[in-house]
Amino acid sequence: MGNSAGLPPIYADTQIELVPAKVITSFPVNTFLENLAMPAAGYAYAPDGTIFVSNHEIGKIVRITPDGNQQIYATVEGKVSGLAFTTNGDLVTTGWNADSIPVVSLVKSDGTVERLLTLPDAIFLNGITPLSDTQYLTADSYRGAIWLIDIAQPRGSIWLEHPMLARSSSENVTPAANGLKRFGGFLYVSNTEKMLLLRIPLGIGDEPGEPEIFVEQTNIDDFAFDVEGNLYGATHIYNSVVRIASDRSTTIIAQAEDGVICSTAVAFGQGKGDVYDGLCLRTAILYVVTNGGMSLPPPTGVVPANVVRLEVGKTGYPLT
């Protein structure tokens, strides 16, 4: 992974263990794929392996089937950033309306869009993740805060506002608090502008504790956890995907040559299961979306935005 753009060499000495990678579909040059989500199994509108991707700049949510076929699933007025599925298969989205005011919307399984909330006190709603069946947390990348969204009410309120979630300067356009995911008793948050991966303890009633630095000098956009607690992160302008183990060690698992130029988000799917010695060994599949270098073009210029499939290992499940 080269550093020809003159970026800080934060991954120069990082171990590299590349995994099998395949581009499953591409979008035209200057398409900003921002996020992706995969529903639970069993929904007729989304056969197993279906991916939903946010095309940020034009407010489109695209449904991608396992063979790479693209279909417009929904159109959100303005721009769309984060995606998260509800327990009944609807999609919660963050973004801006046509007047650049932050909004939270609900996309039904038939693709219809319902405006849930307008949040004029927010600035830049970004990643979103479930906290409970009806409550979600979303990062506000420019306010330096995390909002609590209750889709049943619906209503929104500040869950945590903290200097560690904020930018170093309000003039810096790089997002601060960006991706966020819960694992165990913590909420993990990437502060991309400060190159930090943060960890926030969850107290009684999922109230936030004091943020702490989990990993520093790492450029993470959005990320996902596997069942063992390994974090897989899109490094955006560093044109790679990394795995951060629970001991905080980092390994590069995909590079620009694998199609992950300006990787923005990752999410887990599942591959084919094989039976071996009483276990179903299922290939763990990580999907990656990119913007092809729109944020920081490579020497060759901006390239098509990709959805990339990474095979990151095997997970065993007992046969029943």
Side-chain angles (χ1 to χ4, degrees):
M1 180 178 57
N3 230 356
S4 58
L7 297 172
I10 58 175
Y11 298 117
D13 299 320
T14 302
Q15 181 177 354
I16 301 175
E17 294 179 3
L18 300 181
V19 302
K22 180 182 180 181
V23 175
I24 63 169
T25 194
S26 296
F27 289 73
V29 170
N30 291 322
T31 300
F32 200 119
L33 301 182
E34 168 64 17
N35 214 307
L36 74 165
M38 303 185 71
Y43 292 107
Y45 69 92
D48 289 356
T50 303
I51 309 163
F52 292 79
V53 174
S54 59
N55 189 339
H56 174 66
E57 298 285 347
I58 61 173
K60 303 291 185 183
I61 298 171
V62 184
R63 177 171 52 199
I64 301 170
T65 56
D67 61 1
N69 179 261
Q70 302 175 18
Q71 297 175 319
I72 300 298
Y73 177 64
T75 300
V76 178
E77 181 188 8
K79 297 182 180 182
V80 60
S81 295
L83 300 175
F85 273 99
T86 68
T87 54
N88 66 353
D90 296 334
L91 263 175
V92 184
T93 74
T94 59
W96 300 268
N97 63 18
D99 297 320
S100 299
I101 297 174
V103 296
V104 179
S105 301
L106 187 71
V107 183
K108 299 289 190 175
S109 59
D110 62 0
T112 58
V113 179
E114 173 188 347
R115 177 76 51 79
L116 289 179
L117 289 170
T118 300
L119 292 173
D121 291 333
I123 305 176
F124 180 176
L125 299 183
N126 206 325
I128 185 169
T129 196
L131 185 65
S132 68
D133 285 352
T134 63
Q135 293 184 324
Y136 293 77
L137 297 175
T138 180
D140 191 329
S141 296
Y142 282 0
R143 178 161 174 169
I146 297 171
W147 290 82
L148 175 65
I149 306 298
D150 191 324
I151 65 171
Q153 302 300 325
R155 64 186 178 194
S157 58
I158 291 289
W159 184 75
L160 178 65
E161 192 162 11
H162 195 280
M164 293 184 74
L165 301 172
R167 292 173 288 174
S168 301
S169 165
S170 61
E171 297 180 0
N172 193 319
V173 298
T174 304
N178 196 336
L180 68 176
K181 293 290 187 301
R182 180 178 187 165
F183 189 83
F186 296 91
L187 181 77
Y188 292 78
V189 185
S190 58
N191 183 324
T192 310
E193 191 269 335
K194 289 182 177 177
M195 293 188 173
L196 297 175
L197 181 62
L198 305 172
R199 188 170 71 172
I200 302 170
L202 298 175
I204 297 173
D206 291 329
E207 294 296 321
E210 187 71 13
E212 61 186 31
I213 295 174
F214 186 66
V215 177
E216 54 188 348
Q217 290 297 290
T218 189
N219 198 83
I220 304 297
D221 189 329
D222 216 329
F223 56 91
F225 283 98
D226 67 14
V227 294
E228 297 176 347
N230 298 302
L231 182 151
Y232 293 78
T235 66
H236 207 128
I237 56 175
Y238 282 83
N239 303 327
S240 60
V241 177
V242 298
R243 180 179 63 242
I244 300 176
S246 56
D247 65 3
R248 312 186 192 204
S249 62
T250 299
T251 303
I252 296 166
I253 65 167
Q255 297 180 323
E257 295 79 6
D258 299 308
V260 297
I261 291 175
C262 269
S263 57
T264 54
V266 302
F268 273 99
Q270 288 186 330
K272 180 181 177 182
D274 300 308
V275 176
Y276 176 76
D277 196 23
L279 289 176
C280 176
L281 294 180
R282 188 170 290 277
T283 304
I285 301 299
L286 189 73
Y287 291 95
V288 187
V289 292
T290 79
N291 70 26
M294 289 178 66
S295 306
L296 185 64
T300 53
V302 180
V303 300
N306 292 330
V307 180
V308 182
R309 180 183 188 270
L310 303 179
E311 296 185 9
V312 297
K314 296 275 190 178
T315 301
Y317 298 90
L319 295 174
T320 56

PDB file of all heavy atoms in Angstrom, residues 133-145:
ATOM      1  N   ASP A 133     -34.007  -2.289  20.377  1.00  0.00           N
ATOM      2  CA  ASP A 133     -34.925  -2.584  19.270  1.00  0.00           C
ATOM      3  C   ASP A 133     -35.415  -1.331  18.554  1.00  0.00           C
ATOM      4  O   ASP A 133     -35.642  -1.343  17.345  1.00  0.00           O
ATOM      5  CB  ASP A 133     -36.131  -3.374  19.780  1.00  0.00           C
ATOM      6  CG  ASP A 133     -35.791  -4.824  20.073  1.00  0.00           C
ATOM      7  OD1 ASP A 133     -34.668  -5.250  19.733  1.00  0.00           O
ATOM      8  OD2 ASP A 133     -36.644  -5.531  20.642  1.00  0.00           O
ATOM      9  N   THR A 134     -35.616  -0.244  19.296  1.00  0.00           N
ATOM     10  CA  THR A 134     -36.157   0.976  18.689  1.00  0.00           C
ATOM     11  C   THR A 134     -35.230   2.173  18.814  1.00  0.00           C
ATOM     12  O   THR A 134     -35.559   3.251  18.316  1.00  0.00           O
ATOM     13  CB  THR A 134     -37.516   1.350  19.324  1.00  0.00           C
ATOM     14  OG1 THR A 134     -37.321   1.629  20.719  1.00  0.00           O
ATOM     15  CG2 THR A 134     -38.522   0.225  19.157  1.00  0.00           C
ATOM     16  N   GLN A 135     -34.082   2.003  19.458  1.00  0.00           N
ATOM     17  CA  GLN A 135     -33.170   3.121  19.662  1.00  0.00           C
ATOM     18  C   GLN A 135     -31.876   2.920  18.889  1.00  0.00           C
ATOM     19  O   GLN A 135     -31.331   1.809  18.835  1.00  0.00           O
ATOM     20  CB  GLN A 135     -32.862   3.293  21.145  1.00  0.00           C
ATOM     21  CG  GLN A 135     -34.070   3.731  21.965  1.00  0.00           C
ATOM     22  CD  GLN A 135     -33.713   3.979  23.412  1.00  0.00           C
ATOM     23  OE1 GLN A 135     -32.881   3.283  23.986  1.00  0.00           O
ATOM     24  NE2 GLN A 135     -34.333   4.997  24.019  1.00  0.00           N
ATOM     25  N   TYR A 136     -31.381   4.017  18.308  1.00  0.00           N
ATOM     26  CA  TYR A 136     -30.174   3.992  17.494  1.00  0.00           C
ATOM     27  C   TYR A 136     -29.265   5.133  17.914  1.00  0.00           C
ATOM     28  O   TYR A 136     -29.737   6.185  18.375  1.00  0.00           O
ATOM     29  CB  TYR A 136     -30.528   4.133  16.003  1.00  0.00           C
ATOM     30  CG  TYR A 136     -31.290   2.940  15.481  1.00  0.00           C
ATOM     31  CD1 TYR A 136     -32.642   2.785  15.765  1.00  0.00           C
ATOM     32  CD2 TYR A 136     -30.647   1.957  14.745  1.00  0.00           C
ATOM     33  CE1 TYR A 136     -33.340   1.670  15.320  1.00  0.00           C
ATOM     34  CE2 TYR A 136     -31.341   0.847  14.289  1.00  0.00           C
ATOM     35  CZ  TYR A 136     -32.684   0.706  14.586  1.00  0.00           C
ATOM     36  OH  TYR A 136     -33.365  -0.399  14.163  1.00  0.00           O
ATOM     37  N   LEU A 137     -27.984   4.926  17.758  1.00  0.00           N
ATOM     38  CA  LEU A 137     -26.999   5.971  17.976  1.00  0.00           C
ATOM     39  C   LEU A 137     -26.424   6.378  16.626  1.00  0.00           C
ATOM     40  O   LEU A 137     -26.102   5.525  15.800  1.00  0.00           O
ATOM     41  CB  LEU A 137     -25.873   5.498  18.892  1.00  0.00           C
ATOM     42  CG  LEU A 137     -26.278   5.130  20.320  1.00  0.00           C
ATOM     43  CD1 LEU A 137     -25.085   4.557  21.077  1.00  0.00           C
ATOM     44  CD2 LEU A 137     -26.855   6.338  21.070  1.00  0.00           C
ATOM     45  N   THR A 138     -26.299   7.693  16.408  1.00  0.00           N
ATOM     46  CA  THR A 138     -25.702   8.178  15.168  1.00  0.00           C
ATOM     47  C   THR A 138     -24.663   9.244  15.477  1.00  0.00           C
ATOM     48  O   THR A 138     -24.864  10.104  16.339  1.00  0.00           O
ATOM     49  CB  THR A 138     -26.771   8.725  14.194  1.00  0.00           C
ATOM     50  OG1 THR A 138     -26.128   9.195  12.998  1.00  0.00           O
ATOM     51  CG2 THR A 138     -27.581   9.848  14.800  1.00  0.00           C
ATOM     52  N   ALA A 139     -23.544   9.164  14.795  1.00  0.00           N
ATOM     53  CA  ALA A 139     -22.444  10.110  15.009  1.00  0.00           C
ATOM     54  C   ALA A 139     -22.737  11.418  14.294  1.00  0.00           C
ATOM     55  O   ALA A 139     -23.237  11.431  13.163  1.00  0.00           O
ATOM     56  CB  ALA A 139     -21.141   9.507  14.486  1.00  0.00           C
ATOM     57  N   ASP A 140     -22.429  12.531  14.956  1.00  0.00           N
ATOM     58  CA  ASP A 140     -22.490  13.854  14.356  1.00  0.00           C
ATOM     59  C   ASP A 140     -21.048  14.295  14.149  1.00  0.00           C
ATOM     60  O   ASP A 140     -20.369  14.757  15.073  1.00  0.00           O
ATOM     61  CB  ASP A 140     -23.247  14.824  15.259  1.00  0.00           C
ATOM     62  CG  ASP A 140     -23.581  16.138  14.577  1.00  0.00           C
ATOM     63  OD1 ASP A 140     -22.802  16.562  13.700  1.00  0.00           O
ATOM     64  OD2 ASP A 140     -24.614  16.742  14.919  1.00  0.00           O
ATOM     65  N   SER A 141     -20.568  14.138  12.914  1.00  0.00           N
ATOM     66  CA  SER A 141     -19.141  14.267  12.637  1.00  0.00           C
ATOM     67  C   SER A 141     -18.599  15.676  12.829  1.00  0.00           C
ATOM     68  O   SER A 141     -17.399  15.850  13.058  1.00  0.00           O
ATOM     69  CB  SER A 141     -18.850  13.814  11.203  1.00  0.00           C
ATOM     70  OG  SER A 141     -19.126  12.452  11.037  1.00  0.00           O
ATOM     71  N   TYR A 142     -19.442  16.697  12.724  1.00  0.00           N
ATOM     72  CA  TYR A 142     -18.956  18.067  12.863  1.00  0.00           C
ATOM     73  C   TYR A 142     -19.324  18.692  14.210  1.00  0.00           C
ATOM     74  O   TYR A 142     -18.650  19.605  14.669  1.00  0.00           O
ATOM     75  CB  TYR A 142     -19.497  18.949  11.727  1.00  0.00           C
ATOM     76  CG  TYR A 142     -18.760  18.762  10.413  1.00  0.00           C
ATOM     77  CD1 TYR A 142     -17.697  17.868  10.290  1.00  0.00           C
ATOM     78  CD2 TYR A 142     -19.126  19.485   9.285  1.00  0.00           C
ATOM     79  CE1 TYR A 142     -17.020  17.697   9.091  1.00  0.00           C
ATOM     80  CE2 TYR A 142     -18.456  19.328   8.078  1.00  0.00           C
ATOM     81  CZ  TYR A 142     -17.413  18.435   7.981  1.00  0.00           C
ATOM     82  OH  TYR A 142     -16.758  18.276   6.793  1.00  0.00           O
ATOM     83  N   ARG A 143     -20.350  18.211  14.856  1.00  0.00           N
ATOM     84  CA  ARG A 143     -20.682  18.736  16.188  1.00  0.00           C
ATOM     85  C   ARG A 143     -19.820  18.086  17.265  1.00  0.00           C
ATOM     86  O   ARG A 143     -19.676  18.616  18.365  1.00  0.00           O
ATOM     87  CB  ARG A 143     -22.161  18.528  16.483  1.00  0.00           C
ATOM     88  CG  ARG A 143     -22.565  19.012  17.860  1.00  0.00           C
ATOM     89  CD  ARG A 143     -24.031  19.249  18.032  1.00  0.00           C
ATOM     90  NE  ARG A 143     -24.325  19.566  19.427  1.00  0.00           N
ATOM     91  CZ  ARG A 143     -25.469  20.029  19.874  1.00  0.00           C
ATOM     92  NH1 ARG A 143     -26.476  20.224  19.035  1.00  0.00           N
ATOM     93  NH2 ARG A 143     -25.644  20.298  21.158  1.00  0.00           N
ATOM     94  N   GLY A 144     -19.239  16.913  16.962  1.00  0.00           N
ATOM     95  CA  GLY A 144     -18.467  16.206  17.978  1.00  0.00           C
ATOM     96  C   GLY A 144     -19.367  15.560  18.999  1.00  0.00           C
ATOM     97  O   GLY A 144     -19.130  15.641  20.207  1.00  0.00           O
ATOM     98  N   ALA A 145     -20.422  14.905  18.495  1.00  0.00           N
ATOM     99  CA  ALA A 145     -21.435  14.362  19.393  1.00  0.00           C
ATOM    100  C   ALA A 145     -22.004  13.077  18.824  1.00  0.00           C
ATOM    101  O   ALA A 145     -21.777  12.724  17.662  1.00  0.00           O
ATOM    102  CB  ALA A 145     -22.560  15.383  19.601  1.00  0.00           C
TER     103      ALA A 145
END
